Coordinates of all heavy atoms in Angstrom, one line a residue:
A1 N 0.8 -1.2 0.0 CA 0.0 0.0 0.0 C 0.9 1.2 0.0 O 1.8 1.3 0.8 CB -0.9 0.0 1.2
L2 N 0.5 2.2 -0.9 CA 1.3 3.5 -1.0 C 0.3 4.6 -0.9 O -0.9 4.4 -0.9 CB 2.1 3.5 -2.2 CG 3.2 2.4 -2.4 CD1 3.8 2.6 -3.8 CD2 4.2 2.5 -1.3
K3 N 0.8 5.9 -1.0 CA -0.1 7.0 -1.0 C 0.3 7.9 -2.2 O 1.4 8.0 -2.6 CB 0.1 7.9 0.3 CG -0.5 7.2 1.5 CD -0.5 8.1 2.7 CE -1.2 7.5 3.9 NZ -2.6 7.3 3.7
S4 N -0.8 8.5 -2.8 CA -0.6 9.4 -3.9 C -0.1 10.7 -3.5 O 0.1 11.0 -2.3 CB -1.9 9.5 -4.7 OG -2.8 10.4 -3.9
R5 N 0.1 11.6 -4.5 CA 0.6 12.9 -4.2 C -0.3 13.7 -3.2 O 0.2 14.4 -2.4 CB 0.7 13.7 -5.5 CG 1.2 15.1 -5.4 CD 1.3 15.8 -6.8 NE 0.0 15.8 -7.4 CZ -0.8 16.8 -7.5 NH1 -0.5 18.0 -6.9 NH2 -2.0 16.8 -8.1
L6 N -1.6 13.5 -3.4 CA -2.6 14.1 -2.5 C -2.9 13.3 -1.3 O -3.9 13.7 -0.6 CB -3.8 14.5 -3.3 CG -3.6 15.4 -4.5 CD1 -4.9 15.7 -5.2 CD2 -3.0 16.8 -4.0
G7 N -2.2 12.2 -1.0 CA -2.4 11.4 0.2 C -3.5 10.4 0.0 O -4.0 9.8 1.1
I8 N -3.9 10.0 -1.2 CA -4.9 9.0 -1.4 C -4.2 7.6 -1.4 O -3.2 7.4 -2.0 CB -5.6 9.2 -2.8 CG1 -6.3 10.6 -2.8 CG2 -6.6 8.1 -3.0 CD1 -6.9 11.0 -4.1
D9 N -4.8 6.7 -0.7 CA -4.3 5.3 -0.6 C -4.4 4.6 -2.0 O -5.5 4.7 -2.6 CB -5.0 4.5 0.5 CG -4.7 5.0 1.9 OD1 -3.6 5.5 2.1 OD2 -5.6 4.9 2.7
F10 N -3.4 3.9 -2.4 CA -3.5 3.0 -3.5 C -2.6 1.8 -3.4 O -1.7 1.8 -2.5 CB -3.2 3.8 -4.8 CG -1.7 4.2 -5.0 CD1 -0.8 3.3 -5.6 CD2 -1.3 5.4 -4.5 CE1 0.5 3.7 -5.8 CE2 0.1 5.8 -4.6 CZ 1.0 4.9 -5.3
K11 N -2.8 0.8 -4.2 CA -2.1 -0.4 -4.1 C -1.1 -0.5 -5.3 O -1.4 -0.1 -6.4 CB -3.1 -1.6 -4.2 CG -4.1 -1.6 -3.1 CD -5.2 -2.6 -3.3 CE -6.3 -2.6 -2.2 NZ -6.9 -1.3 -2.1
A12 N 0.1 -1.0 -4.9 CA 1.2 -1.1 -5.9 C 1.6 -2.6 -6.0 O 1.9 -3.2 -5.0 CB 2.3 -0.2 -5.5
F13 N 1.7 -3.1 -7.2 CA 2.2 -4.4 -7.5 C 3.3 -4.3 -8.5 O 3.0 -4.0 -9.7 CB 1.0 -5.3 -8.1 CG -0.2 -5.4 -7.2 CD1 -1.2 -4.4 -7.2 CD2 -0.3 -6.4 -6.2 CE1 -2.3 -4.5 -6.4 CE2 -1.4 -6.5 -5.4 CZ -2.4 -5.5 -5.5
R14 N 4.5 -4.4 -8.1 CA 5.7 -4.1 -8.9 C 6.5 -5.3 -9.2 O 6.6 -6.2 -8.4 CB 6.5 -3.0 -8.2 CG 5.8 -1.7 -8.1 CD 6.5 -0.7 -7.2 NE 6.4 -1.1 -5.8 CZ 6.9 -0.3 -4.8 NH1 7.6 0.8 -5.1 NH2 6.8 -0.7 -3.6
G15 N 7.2 -5.2 -10.4 CA 8.1 -6.3 -10.8 C 7.4 -7.6 -11.2 O 8.0 -8.7 -11.1
I16 N 6.2 -7.5 -11.7 CA 5.5 -8.7 -12.1 C 6.0 -9.2 -13.5 O 6.1 -8.4 -14.4 CB 4.0 -8.5 -12.3 CG1 3.4 -7.9 -11.0 CG2 3.2 -9.8 -12.7 CD1 2.0 -7.4 -11.1
R17 N 6.5 -10.4 -13.6 CA 6.9 -11.0 -14.8 C 5.8 -11.2 -15.8 O 4.9 -11.9 -15.5 CB 7.7 -12.3 -14.6 CG 9.1 -12.1 -14.0 CD 9.7 -13.5 -13.8 NE 11.1 -13.4 -13.4 CZ 11.5 -13.4 -12.1 NH1 10.5 -13.4 -11.1 NH2 12.7 -13.3 -11.8
Y18 N 5.8 -10.6 -16.9 CA 4.8 -10.9 -18.0 C 5.4 -11.8 -19.0 O 4.6 -12.3 -19.9 CB 4.3 -9.5 -18.6 CG 5.3 -8.8 -19.4 CD1 5.6 -9.1 -20.7 CD2 6.0 -7.7 -18.8 CE1 6.5 -8.3 -21.5 CE2 6.9 -7.0 -19.6 CZ 7.1 -7.3 -20.9 OH 8.1 -6.6 -21.6
A19 N 6.7 -12.0 -19.1 CA 7.3 -12.9 -20.0 C 8.5 -13.6 -19.4 O 9.1 -13.1 -18.4 CB 7.7 -12.2 -21.3
S20 N 8.9 -14.7 -19.9 CA 10.0 -15.5 -19.4 C 11.3 -14.7 -19.6 O 11.4 -13.8 -20.6 CB 10.1 -16.8 -20.1 OG 9.0 -17.6 -19.8
A21 N 12.3 -14.9 -18.8 CA 13.6 -14.2 -19.0 C 14.2 -14.5 -20.3 O 14.4 -15.7 -20.7 CB 14.5 -14.7 -17.9
P22 N 14.5 -13.5 -21.1 CA 15.0 -13.7 -22.5 C 16.5 -14.0 -22.4 O 17.3 -13.1 -22.8 CB 14.7 -12.4 -23.2 CG 14.7 -11.4 -22.1 CD 14.2 -12.1 -20.9
V23 N 16.9 -15.1 -21.9 CA 18.3 -15.4 -21.8 C 18.6 -16.7 -22.5 O 17.7 -17.5 -22.9 CB 18.7 -15.6 -20.3 CG1 18.5 -14.3 -19.5 CG2 17.8 -16.7 -19.6
G24 N 19.9 -17.0 -22.7 CA 20.3 -18.2 -23.5 C 19.8 -18.1 -24.9 O 20.0 -17.1 -25.6
I25 N 19.2 -19.2 -25.4 CA 18.7 -19.2 -26.8 C 17.5 -18.2 -27.0 O 17.2 -18.0 -28.1 CB 18.4 -20.6 -27.2 CG1 17.2 -21.2 -26.4 CG2 19.6 -21.5 -27.2 CD1 16.7 -22.5 -27.0
L26 N 16.9 -17.8 -25.9 CA 15.8 -16.8 -26.0 C 16.3 -15.4 -26.1 O 15.4 -14.5 -26.2 CB 14.9 -17.0 -24.8 CG 14.3 -18.4 -24.6 CD1 13.4 -18.3 -23.3 CD2 13.5 -18.8 -25.8
R27 N 17.5 -15.1 -26.0 CA 18.1 -13.7 -25.9 C 17.5 -12.8 -27.0 O 17.1 -11.7 -26.7 CB 19.6 -13.8 -26.0 CG 20.2 -12.4 -25.9 CD 21.7 -12.5 -25.8 NE 22.1 -12.5 -24.4 CZ 23.4 -12.6 -24.0 NH1 24.3 -12.8 -24.9 NH2 23.7 -12.5 -22.7
F28 N 17.4 -13.2 -28.2 CA 17.0 -12.3 -29.3 C 15.6 -12.7 -29.9 O 15.2 -12.2 -30.9 CB 18.0 -12.3 -30.4 CG 19.4 -11.8 -30.0 CD1 20.4 -12.7 -29.8 CD2 19.6 -10.5 -29.7 CE1 21.7 -12.3 -29.4 CE2 20.9 -10.1 -29.3 CZ 21.9 -11.0 -29.2
R29 N 15.0 -13.7 -29.3 CA 13.8 -14.2 -29.8 C 12.5 -13.5 -29.3 O 12.6 -12.7 -28.4 CB 13.7 -15.7 -29.5 CG 14.8 -16.5 -30.2 CD 14.5 -18.0 -30.2 NE 15.6 -18.7 -30.9 CZ 15.6 -20.1 -31.0 NH1 14.6 -20.8 -30.6 NH2 16.6 -20.6 -31.7
N30 N 11.4 -13.8 -29.9 CA 10.1 -13.3 -29.4 C 9.8 -13.6 -28.0 O 10.2 -14.7 -27.6 CB 9.0 -13.7 -30.3 CG 9.1 -13.2 -31.8 OD1 9.9 -12.3 -32.1 ND2 8.5 -13.9 -32.7
P31 N 9.2 -12.8 -27.2 CA 8.9 -13.1 -25.8 C 8.0 -14.3 -25.7 O 7.1 -14.5 -26.5 CB 8.2 -11.8 -25.3 CG 7.6 -11.2 -26.5 CD 8.6 -11.5 -27.7
I32 N 8.1 -15.0 -24.6 CA 7.3 -16.1 -24.2 C 6.6 -15.8 -22.9 O 7.2 -15.4 -22.0 CB 8.1 -17.4 -24.0 CG1 8.9 -17.8 -25.4 CG2 7.3 -18.6 -23.6 CD1 9.8 -18.9 -25.2
P33 N 5.2 -15.9 -22.9 CA 4.5 -15.6 -21.7 C 5.0 -16.3 -20.5 O 5.4 -17.5 -20.6 CB 3.0 -16.0 -22.0 CG 3.0 -16.0 -23.5 CD 4.3 -16.4 -24.0
Y34 N 5.0 -15.7 -19.3 CA 5.4 -16.3 -18.1 C 4.4 -17.3 -17.6 O 3.2 -17.0 -17.6 CB 5.7 -15.2 -17.0 CG 6.5 -15.6 -15.9 CD1 7.8 -16.0 -16.0 CD2 5.9 -15.7 -14.6 CE1 8.6 -16.4 -14.9 CE2 6.6 -16.1 -13.5 CZ 8.0 -16.5 -13.7 OH 8.7 -16.9 -12.6
L35 N 4.9 -18.4 -17.1 CA 4.0 -19.5 -16.7 C 3.4 -19.2 -15.3 O 3.9 -18.5 -14.5 CB 4.8 -20.8 -16.6 CG 5.4 -21.3 -17.9 CD1 6.2 -22.6 -17.7 CD2 4.2 -21.6 -18.9
P36 N 2.2 -19.8 -15.1 CA 1.6 -19.6 -13.7 C 2.5 -20.1 -12.6 O 3.3 -21.0 -12.8 CB 0.3 -20.5 -13.8 CG 0.0 -20.5 -15.3 CD 1.4 -20.5 -16.0
W37 N 2.3 -19.5 -11.4 CA 3.2 -19.8 -10.3 C 2.4 -20.5 -9.2 O 2.8 -20.6 -8.0 CB 3.9 -18.6 -9.8 CG 2.9 -17.4 -9.5 CD1 2.1 -17.2 -8.4 CD2 2.7 -16.3 -10.4 NE1 1.4 -16.1 -8.6 CE2 1.8 -15.5 -9.8 CE3 3.2 -16.0 -11.6 CZ2 1.3 -14.3 -10.4 CZ3 2.8 -14.8 -12.2 CH2 1.8 -14.0 -11.6
K38 N 1.1 -20.9 -9.4 CA 0.3 -21.5 -8.4 C 1.1 -22.7 -7.9 O 1.7 -23.4 -8.7 CB -1.0 -22.0 -9.0 CG -2.0 -20.9 -9.4 CD -3.2 -21.4 -10.0 CE -4.2 -20.3 -10.4 NZ -5.4 -20.9 -11.0
P39 N 0.9 -23.1 -6.6 CA 0.1 -22.4 -5.6 C 0.9 -21.4 -4.8 O 0.5 -20.9 -3.8 CB -0.2 -23.6 -4.6 CG 1.0 -24.4 -4.7 CD 1.5 -24.3 -6.1
N40 N 2.1 -21.0 -5.3 CA 2.9 -20.0 -4.6 C 2.4 -18.6 -4.7 O 1.5 -18.4 -5.5 CB 4.4 -20.1 -5.1 CG 5.0 -21.4 -4.9 OD1 4.8 -22.1 -3.9 ND2 5.8 -21.9 -5.9
I41 N 2.9 -17.7 -3.9 CA 2.5 -16.3 -3.9 C 3.6 -15.5 -4.6 O 4.8 -15.7 -4.2 CB 2.2 -15.8 -2.5 CG1 1.0 -16.5 -1.9 CG2 2.0 -14.3 -2.6 CD1 0.7 -16.1 -0.5

């Protein structure tokens, strides 16, 4: 939870992977969607 410039509460979710790490043979290739992480948080 964070606060806006005027002090309004809001929620921040940062650093969410939307694609797999483009490393190794994936370095220059098209992005691949990141897989589900259930049941972990």
